[in-house]
Amino acid sequence: MNFKLEQKVKVTVTDDLSKSILQVLKEASYKKPLIVMDSFLNSTPIVNKLKEDLTNEGIDFIVYDKIVSDPPTNLVDEGAVICNKQQCDSIIAIGGGSSIDVARGINIVKHNGGKIKDYVTFEGEIKECPGLISVPTTSGTGSELSNALIVTDLKTNTKLAVLADNSVSEYAILNPELLMSLPKNMTIATGLDTFSHAAEGYTSNLSSPVTDAICEKIMFLVAKYLPLAVEDGSNREARERMMVAAALGGWMLNNCGTHIGHSTAHILGSKYKIPHGMACAYALPGALEHVAPVLPKKIKEIGYILGATFPENASVEEIASITSNRYRDFRDNILGMAPFSELQIDKNELLTNAKDIVEERFAGNTPRKVDLEAAVELLKKL
């Protein structure tokens, strides 16, 4: 059967990270985790306390803190070598999407062998990859519940995606305290990434009545709580709600995917070093306008979630325009994200990316054909 929903990650929301991780390790009988994160997190008080508590409990661990944004494939392969050499039985990923993606990649290679690039076009079945404990520090990618990872091929300067249902986290630990110091610009970008996951999943070829209901709730949570988190980063309720929305958004990636908005973000983000959430946010209005002729009711619903009003008997063109403009207002004025023009990318140069966007793997999930002309129009709308 073609099932429409699956979720096997054990999720907890906690105010005590160390206590929760110790409980998970005890429950699963894991004795030696590899902790994957960036060097900054490795020096923070909350992580130092975690390491101290692990030591006090007699749990041996290895730290791998080389993670960077847009992680290259070699970080995954190197981490897998260390994991196997040190005989680690589990992986604790602490960080944003980059850290969790690398940790997932390490776990795939650990259990299946080879190198991570082998699994980009892998046609066989990736074996079950237990032992991944994900601790997100942003509210964006939803990698803690996602089945996907994105790494960068430095030789071609392209982003590579690996999709594997058997590589999802075994546990996800949501700790709002980790978000309290997240800078405003990152709060905006990662929060809008969450909105893009839901909006694109909602309008994807892979959507279903079950995923639609969840995507609607995710968009509602972002519209209500992201402005509060941006206004006051210490607002615990807003941080927790956004953390939940991001996790649910990652879950939806497994079940209904994304489409042309993320295709655009992957191509432009890799080439021009645009943070992923920002790239998705720049691309979303054009993506919504592109699918409006075939999904006007859903595009109108997104508008309603964002607080838009529509004239009676609004045309498809009016629905597309009102919703996309309402999103732009939310992104630019309510949240205050930096405008695309600040990137100073030449327009003619920008349009040269159209062919790559058409050929990007997620473009095929778009409910309306994405050809070269459509990609050019989307790029113009940036």
Side-chain angles (χ1 to χ4, degrees), residues 36 58 62 86-87 104 109 152 215 227 238 245 250 277 338 346 373:
V36 177
I62 303 297
Q86 296 291 335
Q87 297 183 316
R104 190 191 323 284
V109 175
T152 300
C215 287
D346 178 76
E373 181 181 356

Side-chain angles (χ1 to χ4, degrees), residues 148-260:
L149 69 93
I150 305 292
V151 287
T152 300
D153 184 339
L154 294 180
K155 290 183 179 179
T156 60
N157 197 32
T158 56
K159 291 194 175 185
L160 307 176
V162 177
L163 306 178
D165 290 337
N166 286 338
S167 71
V168 296
S169 307
E170 187 174 1
Y171 298 89
I173 300 175
L174 310 183
N175 178 211
E177 183 184 349
L178 289 166
L179 298 179
M180 296 302 184
S181 60
L182 192 68
K184 181 177 180 179
N185 63 332
M186 288 187 66
T187 299
I188 295 170
T190 54
L192 289 175
D193 188 18
T194 296
F195 193 93
S196 288
H197 289 162
E200 291 182 42
Y202 188 56
T203 55
S204 162
N205 279 332
L206 302 175
S207 67
S208 70
V210 183
T211 62
D212 284 351
I214 298 169
C215 287
E216 287 171 355
K217 184 62 175 182
I218 295 167
M219 289 186 283
F220 168 81
L221 289 172
V222 176
K224 180 173 182 178
Y225 290 102
L226 182 54
L228 298 178
V230 171
E231 181 183 358
D232 178 10
S234 63
N235 184 327
R236 191 193 180 282
E237 181 186 18
R239 291 297 196 183
E240 181 182 274
R241 294 289 85 194
M242 283 302 304
M243 190 166 251
V244 169
L248 292 175
W251 179 27
M252 289 301 95
L253 289 177
N254 309 354
N255 291 277
C256 49
T258 57
H259 55 65
I260 190 61

Side-chain angles (χ1 to χ4, degrees), residues 307-359:
T309 57
F310 298 87
E312 190 175 351
N313 301 319
S315 67
V316 171
E317 291 77 14
E318 288 175 315
I319 291 171
S321 177
I322 290 171
T323 297
S324 62
N325 284 331
R326 180 60 187 165
Y327 175 79
R328 289 186 182 97
D329 180 61
F330 177 70
R331 179 192 70 189
D332 301 343
N333 299 322
I334 295 175
L335 298 177
M337 196 178 89
F340 186 81
S341 58
E342 285 191 5
L343 299 175
Q344 296 184 323
I345 302 171
D346 178 76
K347 183 176 181 180
N348 291 328
E349 154 68 18
L350 187 66
L351 298 182
T352 64
N353 296 286
K355 183 173 182 292
D356 289 337
I357 290 171
V358 172
E359 296 174 351

Side-chain angles (χ1 to χ4, degrees), residues 110-124:
K110 174 180 182 288
H111 288 283
N112 293 267
K115 296 183 180 297
I116 194 59
K117 282 183 69 174
D118 300 338
Y119 299 97
V120 175
T121 56
F122 188 63
E123 295 183 357

